[in-house]
Amino acid sequence: MRGTYVSDDTPAGWYQAGDRPGQQRYHDGSGWTDHYAPIDQPTQQQYPQQGAYPVQPQKKGGFPKWLIPVIACLGLVFIAVIGGAIAGSPDEEADEATTTTEPDGFAKCNDGSISDNTDLRAICSSHDGVSEWLSEYGECADGTVIALRDDPQCPSGGDLAKLLPGYEPEVGPDDIALCKDGTFSDNLDLAATCSSHAGVEDWLADYGRCEGGEVIRLEDGPRCPGGEDLAELMPTDYVPPTTTEPPATTAPPTTTAPPATAAPADTYEAGNYTFADVQVSSDFVDDFSVRARATNNGDTVESASFAVTLFAGGSVVGTGTAFVSNFEAGSTITVEFISIDDFTEHDEVEFQVESEF
């Protein structure tokens, strides 16, 4: 709505009415009154009676006073905007520094495309394979953190959930091994520790205690007895007790055959044979055996069998037999007699030739 702007120091007079076209309204120097008059009606510069409203002629040229407060307000607004921008800049920079833009995918493929396939077995499979991963580490759907290198796999073939830019693996309170992909494992099943992380690079202690209580050394594929899980790592300063070697098992003394009973001084004749140097002893099962030197005083024989009778206290306590072949005439050989009778001290030996053929 057009009208005349007046400030607080405007002198009393008639001014163009903004609320009534073609009308003038009287300002008494402190505020508008309810007095109106047509613009083309001559007015005098005087205070009207109550209800009258003289018009003050408008001044021509010069700077409109009503623009002063407008410009002042605009200036204040401009200063506030600039000041806010300057004051807000550090916060915005901080926000930009702390805000991480999630990449559009997980890996860059060899054909230059980006793949967001969460199935690690199929990622970039239609794009000539993976050229590079967009982060060094990622988190699987089950929460397992894996290193994205070579041929990464989530446990049980699970999917990759998200990338972990800037992630640095740290040892957890329950971890027992450093894996070859740089992560740590807390899997107490020694057959499966680091199985999804390229295997064990190093154990976090030299010794561990199994569930059954046995302490084992953690090196080169350790296993607990009976497939038990590992219960805990032993302290780094743990020293296993010195194992005392059991005394060497002393071999049982060699059974020494009782000394041979001296044979009678004379020789024994049986047929065409002479037996001398007779020795009687116990064998390894306490049966007796007899050894003698036999001489063939007759012709050469293809074979011959002999018998010996052992006496003790005038009574027969056992007999033994021997068999020889190709016994040449005039030759002397050693003959062994075998008996299944118990060995008993004897008084004399009697030889008998049982057969000759």
Side-chain angles (χ1 to χ4, degrees):
M1 178 180 295
R2 285 185 72 179
T4 300
Y5 175 84
V6 294
S7 62
D8 292 340
D9 59 349
T10 301
W14 290 95
Y15 296 90
Q16 182 178 352
D19 56 343
R20 295 184 184 183
Q23 296 286 314
Q24 302 174 82
R25 188 175 183 182
Y26 189 80
H27 190 278
D28 60 6
S30 61
W32 292 105
T33 68
D34 295 329
H35 301 289
Y36 291 85
I39 291 178
D40 54 357
Q41 175 181 332
T43 58
Q44 294 182 356
Q45 188 70 20
Q46 61 182 5
Y47 290 98
Q49 296 180 357
Q50 186 69 22
Y53 218 56
V55 175
Q56 177 174 327
Q58 298 184 17
K59 296 180 180 181
K60 303 294 184 178
F63 186 82
K65 292 184 178 181
W66 62 270
L67 287 177
I68 295 174
V70 174
I71 294 173
C73 291
L74 291 175
L76 292 174
V77 171
F78 178 79
I79 293 173
V81 171
I82 297 300
I86 294 175
S89 296
D91 293 338
E92 292 175 359
E93 291 176 359
D95 291 343
E96 291 176 358
T98 57
T99 301
T100 301
T101 302
E102 191 72 20
D104 294 333
F106 298 123
K108 181 179 180 181
C109 305
N110 284 318
D111 65 359
S113 61
I114 301 295
S115 176
D116 59 359
N117 194 333
T118 60
D119 184 353
L120 294 176
R121 295 167 297 184
I123 193 168
C124 287
S125 59
S126 300
H127 302 276
D128 299 330
V130 174
S131 171
E132 63 176 317
W133 296 94
L134 301 183
S135 178
E136 189 174 359
Y137 294 92
E139 183 177 319
C140 299
D142 65 353
T144 301
V145 175
I146 62 172
L148 297 175
R149 62 183 72 163
D150 299 329
D151 184 23
Q153 296 295 328
C154 286
S156 304
D159 287 349
L160 187 65
K162 63 180 179 180
L163 298 179
L164 298 174
Y167 173 82
E168 290 294 337
E170 296 181 356
V171 180
D174 299 323
D175 291 332
I176 63 172
L178 170 66
C179 304
K180 291 183 177 179
D181 65 359
T183 59
F184 294 90
S185 175
D186 60 359
N187 194 333
L188 298 175
D189 181 357
L190 296 179
T193 305
C194 289
S195 59
S196 298
H197 302 275
V200 174
E201 175 70 22
D202 194 19
W203 297 96
L204 302 183
D206 291 332
Y207 296 90
R209 184 176 62 82
C210 299
E211 289 181 332
E214 181 174 340
V215 175
I216 62 172
R217 186 171 181 83
L218 298 173
E219 61 178 3
D220 300 331
R223 294 291 186 272
C224 286
E228 297 173 349
D229 285 351
L230 193 69
E232 63 179 350
L233 297 179
M234 302 301 291
T236 54
D237 59 353
Y238 172 80
V239 177
T242 303
T243 302
T244 303
E245 293 292 334
T249 303
T250 304
T254 303
T255 302
T256 303
T261 302
D266 54 355
T267 59
Y268 299 90
E269 299 290 338
N272 295 326
Y273 305 99
T274 300
F275 296 91
D277 300 328
V278 179
Q279 296 180 356
V280 180
S281 62
S282 173
D283 62 15
F284 65 94
V285 291
D286 293 332
D287 295 336
F288 76 85
S289 62
V290 178
R291 173 180 291 187
R293 296 284 290 170
T295 301
N296 184 1
N297 300 317
D299 297 331
T300 300
V301 294
E302 293 183 2
S303 62
S305 62
F306 309 107
V308 61
T309 302
L310 183 64
F311 292 87
S315 301
V316 176
V317 294
T319 59
T321 58
F323 177 82
V324 298
S325 60
N326 297 319
F327 200 172
E328 295 182 355
S331 63
T332 300
I333 62 174
T334 299
V335 179
E336 296 280 353
F337 294 84
I338 300 175
S339 170
I340 60 172
D341 299 300
D342 291 340
F343 174 78
T344 305
E345 293 294 334
H346 62 279
D347 293 329
E348 56 181 313
V349 175
E350 178 183 278
F351 284 93
Q352 300 175 352
V353 176
E354 297 291 338
S355 62
E356 183 179 317
F357 51 87

